[in-house]
């Protein structure tokens, strides 16, 4: 038994953890009753069906009555819904759905704590766990949206944690379980391939993936589903939507639907070549994979894959959101990466948020999400490349350029949106008739969404961006040279264990 009186640090840590858990619950409570189209039309009917039909319902795809579709998730998620189904009616069903997500959010926070604890104090590690639990995208994805992306993301985070402990089989098993929940877990595959090339993971370890997947499907098969159906669910998912981007913040967002066939093929090939090529780099250059470079590589891959792959959804940078938080604690010069990822992901969520609130998607912020995600992926790849090819280079040396560019993009896009909104108000209320002023204000349109802009309007936007960049550069320089040294002098002089 712990003697709390004799262990003040343990007692303080317990109190801090309790406060964090309470805070995490409190910020989620306002969203518990939110019912988005996804949870209303899909997940809630699945839970109700399991409640009404019991265990036997797992032997067939679960129905989604609104669309006349069969559930296209893999059985493991349905197992979790079945486990909570006896409480459906006693506790609101949407609360039960979100409770599953909350448990895995706690698991992700625990993993963040353990990973950061390898590099820093327990208090710094607790701050990392808090950053995960209180991250806007984590709250929006689970508490508001009712999505379960944290399940697969936390499981690949567990796989990464296992690799840091030199437990390759455990890493592959966690990866296999993640794949059994969601195909998006494959984003982490290139990192495991990187370790395979370095002989840290053996070929026979990968045999565990189909075994784990089959074991996860076995209960549903025993209840009536066929093995063929269980192993082809992801193929059916991939064929469901015929869009290059489903509001994902990647370059396919700007690509017309007419290029769907060629875009899908080229995107798959490009992703495979890029990920395989980057995975080879550490072995080819014989660079030492220190802990910071490992988390940089993992973060890069889980961001690069959804950026290059077609048919991605708005939520598929969720793993990058989580990994980037841990990256910032391993290499503090990357502090802006999780911040920008949060902004980019929330900007990508806006269409779903507006659809839920107003019944209509308003994708105004999607171009901002795409630009910031593009910049961040380029930054991560370039830092990884430099770290592998220049052994004397410290991670994050170019972070000031990245921060400047991100700030300039944010300022330029917000300026465009404000100017477009103001122009709509002015042209509607005080639009002058005739003359040069009338033509400038009233003729044509200035769309809020840059994806609808003409070539001349894009030229105007880039002019705004060109003006924003030096202003952002001066701001960043002032913070680095004036504010940061003063703030740093106020910190304890003892060197941080993460330095």
């Amino acid at each position: 038994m712990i003697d709390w009186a004799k262990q003040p640090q343990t007692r303080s840590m317990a109190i801090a953890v309790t406060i964090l858990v309470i805070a995490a619950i409190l910020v989620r409570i306002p969203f518990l009753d939110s019912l988005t189209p996804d949870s209303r039309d899909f997940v809630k009917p699945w839970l109700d069906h399991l409640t009404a039909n019991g265990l036997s319902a797992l032997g067939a795809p679960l129905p989604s009555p609104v669309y006349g579709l069969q559930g296209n998730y893999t059985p493991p998620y349905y197992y979790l819904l079945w486990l909570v189904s006896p409480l459906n009616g006693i506790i609101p069903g949407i609360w039960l759905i979100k409770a599953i997500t909350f448990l895995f959010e706690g698991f992700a926070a625990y993993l963040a704590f353990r990973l950061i604890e390898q590099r820093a104090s327990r208090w710094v590690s607790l701050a990392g766990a808090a950053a995960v639990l209180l991250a806007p995208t984590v709250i929006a994805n689970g508490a508001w949206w009712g999505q379960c992306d944290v399940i697969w993301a936390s499981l690949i985070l567990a796989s990464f944690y296992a690799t840091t402990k030199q437990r390759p089989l455990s890493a592959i098993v966690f990866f296999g379980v993640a794949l059994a929940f969601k195909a998006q877990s494959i984003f982490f595959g290139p990192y495991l391939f990187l370790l395979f090339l370095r002989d840290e993971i053996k070929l026979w370890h990968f045999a565990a993936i189909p075994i784990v997947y089959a074991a996860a499907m076995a209960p549903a098969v025993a209840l009536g589903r066929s093995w063929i159906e269980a192993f082809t669910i992801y193929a059916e998912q991939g064929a469901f939507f015929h869009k290059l981007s489903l509001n994902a913040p990647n370059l396919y967002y700007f690509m017309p639907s007419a290029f769907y066939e060629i875009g899908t093929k080229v995107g798959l090939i490009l992703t495979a070549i890029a990920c395989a090529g980057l995975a080879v780099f550490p072995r080819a250059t014989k660079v030492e994979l220190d802990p910071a470079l490992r988390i940089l590589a993992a973060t890069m891959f889980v961001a690069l894959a959804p950026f290059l792959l077609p048919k991605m959804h708005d939520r598929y940078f969720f793993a990058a959101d989580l990994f980037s938080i841990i990256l910032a604690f391993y290499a503090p010069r990357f502090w802006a990466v999780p911040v920008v990822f949060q902004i980019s992901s929330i900007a990508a969520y806006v269409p779903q948020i507006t659809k839920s609130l107003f019944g209509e998607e308003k994708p105004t912020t999607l171009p901002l999400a795409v630009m910031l995600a593009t910049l961040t992926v380029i930054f991560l790849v370039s830092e990884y490349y430099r770290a592998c090819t220049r052994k004397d280079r410290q991670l994050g040396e170019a972070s000031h350029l990245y921060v400047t560019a991100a700030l300039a993009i944010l300022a330029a896009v917000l300026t465009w949106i404000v100017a477009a909104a103001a122009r709509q108000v002015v042209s509607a209320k005080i639009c002058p008739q005739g003359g040069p002023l009338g033509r400038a204000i009233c003729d044509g349109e200035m769309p809020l969404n840059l994806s609808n802009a003409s070539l001349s309007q894009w030229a105007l936007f880039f002019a705004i961006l060109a003006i924003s960049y030096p202003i952002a550069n001066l701001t960043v320089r002032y913070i680095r040279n004036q504010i940061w040294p003063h703030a740093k002098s106020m910190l304890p002089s003892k060197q941080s264990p993460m330095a």
Side-chain angles (χ1 to χ4, degrees), residues 326-396:
I326 299 167
L327 171 64
F329 281 88
Y330 269 62
R333 286 180 176 177
F334 287 91
W335 65 267
V337 172
V339 174
V340 175
F341 263 137
Q342 289 295 313
I343 297 172
S344 174
S345 293
I346 288 295
Y349 289 5
V350 165
Q352 283 296 327
I353 294 173
T354 54
K355 183 178 181 180
S356 177
L357 294 177
F358 310 116
E360 179 184 1
E361 288 190 4
K362 297 183 181 297
T364 306
T365 57
L366 272 174
L368 171 64
V370 173
M371 293 179 203
L372 291 179
T374 302
L375 174 68
T376 305
V377 169
I378 292 173
F379 175 63
L380 291 174
V381 171
S382 64
E383 284 297 313
Y384 171 81
Y385 173 81
R386 292 189 183 106
C388 290
T389 56
R390 290 178 52 187
K391 298 179 182 179
D392 60 333
R393 182 182 178 85
Q394 293 185 349
L395 289 179

Side-chain angles (χ1 to χ4, degrees), residues 87-110:
L87 297 175
N88 191 16
I90 302 173
I91 298 174
I94 191 63
W95 291 17
L96 296 173
I97 292 166
K98 294 177 180 181
I100 295 171
T101 299
F102 296 165
L103 290 176
F104 281 91
E105 289 170 356
F107 181 46
Y110 170 78

